[in-house]
Amino acid sequence: MEKQPGALSRNPHELYYLRMQRTKEKMEREKTEEDLYQNKNRLKVCVATCNRADYSKLAPIMFGLKSHPEEFELEVVVLGSHLIDDYGNTFRMIEQDDFDIGSKLHTIVRGEDEAAMVESVGLALVKLPDVLQRLRPDILIVHGDRFDALALATAAALMNIRILHLEGGEVSGTIDDSIRHAISKLAHYHACCTRMAEQHLIAMCEDHSRILLAGCPSYDKLLSTYHRDDYMDIIKSWLGDKVKENDYIVALQHPVTTDIQHSIKIYGLMLDALISFNKRTLILFPNIDAGSKEMVRVMRKKGIEQHPNFRAMKHIPFEQFIQLVSHAGCMIGNSSCGVREAGAFGTPVINLGTRQTGRETGENVLHVRDADSDNKIYHALELQFGKRYPGSKIYGDGNAVPRILKFLSSIDLKEPLQKTFCFPPVKDTISQDIDHILETQSALAVDLGGTNLRVAIVCMRGNIVKKYTEPNPKTFEDRMHLILKMCKEAVQGAVRHNCRILGVGISTGGRVNPQEGIVLHSTKLIQEWSSVDLRTPISDALGLPVWVDNDGNCAALAEKKFGHGRGVDNFVTVITGTGIGGGIIHNSELIHGSTFCAAELGHIKVSLDGPECSCGSQGCIEAFASGMALQREAKRLHDEELLKMDGMDVKLAEPITAAHLIRAAENGNSKANAVLDKASLALGVGIVNILHIVNPSLVILSGVLASYYQAPVQQVMLERALFSAQSIKVVKSDLEEPALLGAASMVLDYATRRTY
């Protein structure tokens, strides 16, 4: 059979190989896709370690992360003194623990002085961005209070990488405090060791929900491993065959960077005391802080490295170091290990100088804060050496790592990266600044009433410094012209009264969009007043921020700042005047609603076939209990000659009002009483509905009818409200000008932000 042009000739072996190759490629492709899917669902955690001390705290977390590959992807970055030969090249112990080091950054500028520390921070900041950009971790874990850690936290924060800070909130009394607290302010999450540290972080305004009281991660390892059977072998390998348990000293002293010369002096006195005490001593080299080079010179000048009683070491693996500390006769120096880990074993500790001042300690620690002679240190050795104290678990119970892993798993990466601070409430204080003494911070308050237009200067304490009143014009143009004229006049008057105007607040009837400063729909009392932008023209004319809101909402704001609502989180204000209105404060915030129609309390329906309301509906509270409704009923009774009673004088030219109805009822008029009883019941039922919907803790009645309605409404609540709402009090407002004070409160409370 003739072959087709271009057809390939394949032998069976080639076809089999081709099929196998395609199958292999398909499996690899599927595996790659599966790995990518899994990685998307894993939290990528970068652990950065700078020195031997922080690795002892970070290693347990790293092992925990590594043991949960389905949840976490671990990246390890090594920098700082880990990579310096003089400090033991301690990065090797990380490799021995079988961790893959993703990046090694040489960030230490040698010199061991203050300038070298600053240069090291700068060098780390230069090198870290490339590493973090490549790794793109979800979380960076930073430990403690080292200058290297400050560089890590600074770089991560500026690159929008979330930071978990270990051991924040502690106090040690040196520059380390400043660095530690600075890292805490940069960090988004905190895992602290003690209850006091947690309280410190809260006092520093950190969000309580992002603080984990975990304990120290190193305790997870030391509490489970320090009862080793081979501890004597470890002790003898570092201190010699003749050494006995509890008959040797561990010494570890670091420089205090805020007082280097004094810390060098104390170091020399400690060495002299140890030489005189004549006990086998394991001494570790100081860390890389400024002053360490001078301390090493002191050690070598005294011949410590050749002295038969001393063993000088640059580094000891943490697991073995724990055995040496737990079975020592005493630990001396100023290492945090002395006041933290050693307490778990009851090892006696002598803490020298100020480096750990403020740390929480167990009773095993004896402080020698001002070591002015070797005799004082020698006496402390005599008191402490060979004692045993009860173990202390101030810093942990051995379960820190599970808590931290669970905390990491709970982090929602969709949460806003921008951290928020929980500042405590600040009380109003009388400023001692000369500008504040000479000028009283004030607001310009405007009340757009149906009859009058009022403008007032209101100071921070709620006092009306000056008030201006004019009849409210009927047309839009005349009204706007008068508002601007009166506001400008008030601003000029404020200068004469030493008042600094912070802004303008406007109270008006109808429905208002306070976010835009627009009156959407007004009441019938103010004609031609719909879809009116009040904010823009007034703000442009006066050069001041302007806030606008409904008069009922303003009354609620006035009570919140100046009246019965001060310090009350949830309350309702009901205005009982010409109409019925009000405002609702819930969780200390004013409720506006989705279309700015919330708290239209006068238009709650209490009857299906009641009198017609101004809103066009029937049976609203306003149709029964407002001043207009009572006036309507008073006129009806007057026309029927049923209003006047003995002892009641009604002049022929006098307009009939709600006051006449109330006076007639007080004089025993049964018809007037019936009208008022019905009005009180309608208002009371409406307020009961409010109680059952928003459940405030207080009802405040405002307006000219508040005094009359207070007692009847309280009675209706007792009769008709649910049992749990019957105890809610009804009080009468004490404010004479709620509309003006509410308008002013918008300015005085919100002058630092545009919306509220």
Side-chain angles (χ1 to χ4, degrees), residues 19 51 74 81 128 137 212 220 233 254 266 310 312 316 330 355 408 442 444 452 458 482 508 572 601 626 723 727 750:
R19 283 197 298 271
N51 53 62
L74 174 64
S81 59
L128 280 168
L212 171 69
D220 289 28
D233 294 334
H254 300 303
I266 292 178
F310 286 85
I316 299 173
C330 182
R355 190 171 184 266
L408 286 169
S442 304
L444 213 58
N452 291 318
V458 182
L482 182 60
T508 180
V572 172
L601 308 182
S626 67
F723 179 76
S727 61
Y750 304 113

Side-chain angles (χ1 to χ4, degrees), residues 507-508 549-576 581-586 588-592 598-601 696 698-703 733 735 737-746 749-750 756:
S507 169
T508 180
D549 212 332
N550 167 269
D551 51 7
N553 289 335
C554 285
L557 290 174
E559 295 293 341
K560 180 175 181 289
K561 187 167 183 65
F562 303 114
H564 292 298
R566 279 183 295 183
V568 181
D569 293 334
N570 301 281
F571 68 89
V572 172
T573 296
V574 181
I575 302 175
T576 57
I584 299 173
I585 300 292
H586 183 67
S588 296
E589 293 292 335
L590 186 64
I591 294 178
H592 285 104
E600 285 288 353
L601 308 182
L698 183 67
V699 176
I700 304 171
L701 296 183
S702 178
S733 174
L735 302 179
E737 298 282 4
L740 286 173
L741 292 178
S745 73
M746 290 190 289
D749 280 347
Y750 304 113
Y756 63 96

Side-chain angles (χ1 to χ4, degrees), residues 203-323:
M204 291 163 61
C205 305
E206 294 298 312
D207 186 346
H208 197 177
S209 67
R210 294 191 172 194
I211 302 172
L212 171 69
L213 178 55
C216 183
S218 66
Y219 271 55
D220 289 28
K221 178 172 281 190
L222 65 89
L223 289 176
S224 62
T225 62
Y226 84 95
H227 290 296
R228 284 175 54 165
D229 295 334
D230 62 345
Y231 70 89
M232 280 307 303
D233 294 334
I234 294 171
I235 292 170
K236 288 178 180 179
S237 68
W238 292 99
L239 286 154
D241 291 336
K242 295 182 180 180
V243 73
K244 297 178 182 179
E245 182 180 0
N246 297 332
D247 197 37
Y248 62 90
I249 296 170
V250 175
L252 179 52
Q253 180 90 354
H254 300 303
V256 177
T257 55
T258 51
D259 195 353
I260 294 172
Q261 293 306 314
H262 186 61
S263 62
I264 294 169
K265 176 187 174 184
I266 292 178
Y267 189 64
L269 295 174
M270 179 190 76
L271 295 178
D272 290 339
L274 288 170
I275 292 169
S276 301
F277 200 68
N278 198 30
K279 287 290 182 181
R280 187 63 60 91
T281 301
L282 177 71
I283 186 166
L284 276 78
F285 278 63
N287 65 19
I288 202 168
D289 283 352
S292 60
K293 187 163 56 177
E294 288 83 352
M295 292 174 72
V296 172
R297 287 199 190 105
V298 171
M299 184 174 70
R300 287 175 174 161
K301 185 177 179 180
K302 294 182 181 294
I304 295 299
E305 290 171 292
Q306 290 76 40
H307 196 287
N309 273 347
F310 286 85
R311 295 288 185 273
M313 300 297 168
K314 293 178 179 177
H315 169 68
I316 299 173
F318 181 72
E319 296 84 350
Q320 298 184 43
F321 184 64
I322 286 303
Q323 301 302 314

Side-chain angles (χ1 to χ4, degrees), residues 248-555:
Y248 62 90
I249 296 170
V250 175
L252 179 52
Q253 180 90 354
H254 300 303
V256 177
T257 55
T258 51
D259 195 353
I260 294 172
Q261 293 306 314
H262 186 61
S263 62
I264 294 169
K265 176 187 174 184
I266 292 178
Y267 189 64
L269 295 174
M270 179 190 76
L271 295 178
D272 290 339
L274 288 170
I275 292 169
S276 301
F277 200 68
N278 198 30
K279 287 290 182 181
R280 187 63 60 91
T281 301
L282 177 71
I283 186 166
L284 276 78
F285 278 63
N287 65 19
I288 202 168
D289 283 352
S292 60
K293 187 163 56 177
E294 288 83 352
M295 292 174 72
V296 172
R297 287 199 190 105
V298 171
M299 184 174 70
R300 287 175 174 161
K301 185 177 179 180
K302 294 182 181 294
I304 295 299
E305 290 171 292
Q306 290 76 40
H307 196 287
N309 273 347
F310 286 85
R311 295 288 185 273
M313 300 297 168
K314 293 178 179 177
H315 169 68
I316 299 173
F318 181 72
E319 296 84 350
Q320 298 184 43
F321 184 64
I322 286 303
Q323 301 302 314
L324 294 164
V325 171
S326 63
H327 298 284
C330 182
M331 184 174 184
I332 189 170
N334 63 3
S335 168
S336 62
C337 178
V339 297
R340 295 168 63 96
E341 284 83 357
F345 318 122
T347 301
V349 172
I350 300 170
N351 182 62
L352 300 177
T354 60
R355 190 171 184 266
Q356 301 301 336
T357 298
R359 289 268 195 198
E360 297 171 77
T361 69
E363 59 182 292
N364 63 311
V365 178
L366 175 64
H367 293 282
V368 183
R369 303 191 193 281
D370 184 18
D372 50 3
S373 69
D374 58 341
N375 286 336
K376 187 181 288 187
I377 299 173
Y378 186 91
H379 186 57
L381 285 166
E382 287 183 320
L383 290 173
Q384 287 286 78
F385 186 79
K387 282 187 178 180
R388 300 314 293 179
Y389 290 89
S392 168
K393 293 185 179 179
I394 295 173
Y395 287 93
D397 60 359
N399 296 296
V401 172
R403 293 188 186 107
I404 291 171
L405 296 185
K406 185 178 179 181
F407 187 60
L408 286 169
S409 298
S410 71
I411 291 174
D412 184 1
L413 299 179
K414 294 179 182 178
E415 283 185 343
L417 182 68
Q418 176 62 51
K419 66 182 291 187
T420 57
F421 300 103
C422 300
F423 295 106
V426 179
K427 294 181 179 178
D428 289 340
T429 58
I430 300 173
S431 174
Q432 294 302 309
D433 182 85
I434 186 65
D435 289 334
H436 289 215
I437 293 171
L438 296 178
E439 296 181 314
T440 304
Q441 291 184 328
S442 304
L444 213 58
V446 180
D447 176 27
L448 280 164
T451 305
N452 291 318
L453 176 60
R454 300 185 302 159
V455 176
I457 303 168
V458 182
C459 74
M460 191 66 77
R461 297 182 181 276
N463 298 324
I464 295 178
V465 178
K466 178 73 174 177
K467 184 165 62 177
Y468 306 82
T469 304
E470 295 283 351
N472 201 346
K474 301 300 181 185
T475 65
F476 168 80
E477 291 79 6
D478 291 342
R479 193 176 296 126
M480 286 301 301
H481 176 75
L482 182 60
I483 290 172
L484 291 174
K485 174 178 174 293
M486 292 178 69
C487 284
K488 289 177 181 177
E489 183 182 349
V491 169
Q492 294 172 355
V495 176
R496 293 191 296 272
H497 289 90
N498 288 330
C499 293
R500 182 189 300 174
I501 301 297
L502 301 178
V504 182
I506 302 175
S507 169
T508 180
R511 190 161 64 95
V512 177
N513 177 346
Q515 296 174 1
E516 303 294 333
I518 295 174
V519 180
L520 300 173
H521 304 290
S522 190
T523 64
K524 291 182 179 180
L525 297 175
I526 309 176
Q527 302 297 324
E528 296 185 41
W529 206 244
S530 296
S531 300
V532 175
D533 179 3
L534 286 178
R535 171 175 292 163
T536 302
I538 296 175
S539 181
D540 289 348
L542 301 179
L544 291 169
V546 176
W547 287 267
V548 186
D549 212 332
N550 167 269
D551 51 7
N553 289 335
C554 285

Side-chain angles (χ1 to χ4, degrees), residues 585-645:
I585 300 292
H586 183 67
N587 291 337
S588 296
E589 293 292 335
L590 186 64
I591 294 178
H592 285 104
S594 59
T595 58
F596 315 107
C597 196
E600 285 288 353
L601 308 182
H603 301 292
I604 295 174
K605 293 182 73 67
V606 292
S607 173
L608 297 178
D609 56 358
E612 185 177 348
C613 181
S614 61
C615 69
S617 185
Q618 286 181 297
C620 299
I621 296 175
E622 189 169 290
F624 286 102
S626 67
M628 287 192 301
L630 297 183
Q631 183 182 38
R632 180 191 67 230
E633 292 299 307
K635 285 181 177 179
R636 179 181 64 79
L637 291 175
H638 180 66
D639 291 342
E640 296 174 5
E641 297 186 352
L642 297 174
L643 182 65
K644 188 175 178 182
M645 297 291 294

Side-chain angles (χ1 to χ4, degrees), residues 66-263:
K66 191 176 180 181
S67 66
H68 293 80
E70 72 286 352
E71 293 184 60
F72 305 104
E73 180 183 354
L74 174 64
E75 293 285 352
V76 181
V77 174
V78 172
L79 64 158
S81 59
H82 272 306
L83 304 171
I84 297 179
D85 182 62
D86 287 353
Y87 294 88
N89 281 324
T90 48
F91 73 90
R92 293 196 182 100
M93 67 181 178
I94 303 173
E95 294 176 334
Q96 289 168 3
D97 285 338
D98 201 26
F99 289 114
D100 294 327
I101 299 176
S103 299
K104 296 177 184 175
L105 297 180
H106 291 272
T107 57
I108 297 298
V109 176
R110 300 306 300 274
E112 285 77 20
D113 58 13
E114 296 95 329
M117 290 169 64
V118 177
E119 290 169 353
S120 296
V121 171
L123 183 58
L125 287 171
V126 169
K127 293 187 174 184
L128 280 168
D130 288 339
V131 173
L132 296 176
Q133 187 74 29
R134 174 171 54 83
L135 297 178
R136 293 187 177 278
D138 297 317
I139 299 284
L140 175 71
I141 298 182
V142 179
H143 169 269
D145 51 20
R146 309 296 303 139
F147 58 84
D148 323 69
L150 179 60
L152 281 162
T154 302
L158 291 173
M159 295 181 71
N160 291 327
I161 296 170
R162 297 168 192 265
I163 303 164
L164 171 64
H165 184 208
L166 300 181
E167 297 188 8
E170 295 183 20
V171 178
S172 57
T174 68
I175 189 63
D176 294 350
D177 279 349
S178 299
I179 295 175
R180 184 187 309 108
H181 300 333
I183 296 172
S184 291
K185 300 318 292 180
L186 293 168
H188 305 83
Y189 307 94
H190 311 272
C192 58
C193 298
T194 70
R195 182 71 64 184
M196 187 177 292
E198 179 188 38
Q199 293 303 312
H200 288 164
L201 287 169
I202 294 170
M204 291 163 61
C205 305
E206 294 298 312
D207 186 346
H208 197 177
S209 67
R210 294 191 172 194
I211 302 172
L212 171 69
L213 178 55
C216 183
S218 66
Y219 271 55
D220 289 28
K221 178 172 281 190
L222 65 89
L223 289 176
S224 62
T225 62
Y226 84 95
H227 290 296
R228 284 175 54 165
D229 295 334
D230 62 345
Y231 70 89
M232 280 307 303
D233 294 334
I234 294 171
I235 292 170
K236 288 178 180 179
S237 68
W238 292 99
L239 286 154
D241 291 336
K242 295 182 180 180
V243 73
K244 297 178 182 179
E245 182 180 0
N246 297 332
D247 197 37
Y248 62 90
I249 296 170
V250 175
L252 179 52
Q253 180 90 354
H254 300 303
V256 177
T257 55
T258 51
D259 195 353
I260 294 172
Q261 293 306 314
H262 186 61
S263 62

